[in-house]
Amino acid sequence: MCEPDFVRADGVFSGGGIKGLAFAGGLQAAAEAGYDEWVKLAGTSAGAITAMALAVGYSAQGLREQLDDFDFAKIADYGPLGELEIPANLLHHGATKGKALHAWIEKLLADAPQPARTFGDLEADKLRVVGADLAHSRMVVFPGDVELYIDEHGKQLAPDDFPIADAVRISAGYPYFFPPLSLIDGHTKKPGVLVDGGVTSAFPVFLFDKPQPEHPTWGFRLFGGKTPEQPSYTAIDGPLWPIDMLKAIVDTSMNALDKLEMVAFAPRTISIPTGDVPTLDFELSAAQKKELYDSGYDTAKAFFDRKPDGRNTFGATPAA
C-alpha cells in the first residue's frame, strides 16, 4: 500500500445520532490509508462523541470496540415506567432523562488511553464541540464560547475548566428526546437552552481552515438514504403529525446532503450513506450495526483511494 503525502490531519465529524456508528468504519479506512495522527478534532452531535474519543487517544479499532460493547438501548432512559413516563419528562423539555448518555460519555473519557475531564486536560485547541443555544439564537463552539456564560456568582466561565462531558452531552442532545442543559448567559443573565449542535451547524468542516494549511482536514459526513438520489423517507401524517414534523425538521438539519455544500467541501469530505436507519433507533440489530460500519469503511476507502488533495475553502492545499 502506498503511503499518502500526509499522515497528520484534522478531522471533523457531522451529526447523525445512532448512525454515528459508521464513523468507526470510516476511521478504520483512514488509518489504513496512513492517517493515524489527528492533530485537531471537531464534531457535532454523534460526531462530537467521535471527535472526543479520538482526542483522548482511542484508535479506530478502540472506538469500534467501545461502540460494540455498549448497549445503546440504555441511552433511552425514559424511567421506571418506560414510555409511560414521557409526559412527566417532557416537563423538563425531553422525552428521556439524558443521564445515561451523560454517564456513558463520562465513562468513555475516564477509560480512555489518555483520560481527560476538562478541556484544559487536552492539548491546546485539540477539540472543538458544536452546540446550539436556542434561548439566545446562536451556535456555541466549545470550549471557546464558554466565556459567554457565567456561574451562579456572576463569574465568567473559563474554557479550560469546562467539563468535556458537558459540552459533548450538549452537542449530542437531540431536541425533544434529550433534555437541554443550561448555562447562564453573561449578558442577558438568563438561562441558555443548550441542545444538539446539528440545529445550527451539522457539519462544521470549515472550523480549521486557513490560507496556508500544514495538513489536510478530512470531513466525515453522514446522510440518510443510499445515494443523494435515493433519500430515506419519513412519514409526516396522522394525528401526531406535529411531532413527526418537529422530528423531521431536526433530522433534516442534521442529515440533509446539501448539494451546494458538497460542491464546496467535496475535495475533503467522506459522505457516508446510512440507508434507512433512524437517527434515534437505539436498538439496532447486529446486521444494522455492520451495515453502518461497512458503509463508513467502504466509502472512506474509495475516497482515499482517489488520492484527494484536501483543498479547503481558501482554495489551498497542504504543502508537501
Side-chain angles (χ1 to χ4, degrees), residues 181-293:
L181 298 188
S182 183
L183 297 171
I184 305 299
D185 178 78
H187 176 70
T188 67
K189 305 300 189 291
K190 301 290 186 181
V193 178
L194 293 148
V195 302
D196 199 308
V199 172
T200 54
S201 183
F203 185 47
V205 72
F206 50 82
L207 280 176
F208 303 127
D209 282 357
K210 55 185 180 179
Q212 296 179 320
E214 299 172 1
H215 44 261
T217 294
W218 300 130
F220 295 76
R221 177 77 156 97
L222 305 178
F223 70 94
K226 302 287 185 184
T227 68
E229 294 75 29
Q230 294 177 289
S232 58
Y233 175 74
T234 300
I236 302 175
D237 54 22
L240 297 180
W241 71 265
I243 295 176
D244 292 339
M245 182 170 287
L246 286 170
K247 289 174 61 179
I249 289 170
V250 179
D251 227 17
T252 299
S253 71
M254 287 191 284
N255 295 297
L257 191 65
D258 188 315
K259 291 183 179 179
L260 293 178
E261 179 183 89
M262 292 315 302
V263 169
F265 300 151
R268 50 355 188 331
T269 298
I270 299 99
S271 297
I272 303 171
T274 57
D276 295 320
V277 175
T279 301
L280 298 176
D281 183 358
F282 294 108
E283 297 188 14
L284 296 182
S285 66
Q288 285 176 308
K289 290 182 179 180
K290 184 177 187 303
E291 179 183 352
L292 288 169
Y293 181 90

Side-chain angles (χ1 to χ4, degrees), residues 297-311:
Y297 178 85
D298 293 342
T299 304
K301 186 177 187 311
F303 175 85
F304 288 115
D305 283 348
R306 294 194 295 271
K307 307 297 180 186
D309 64 11
R311 188 176 307 275

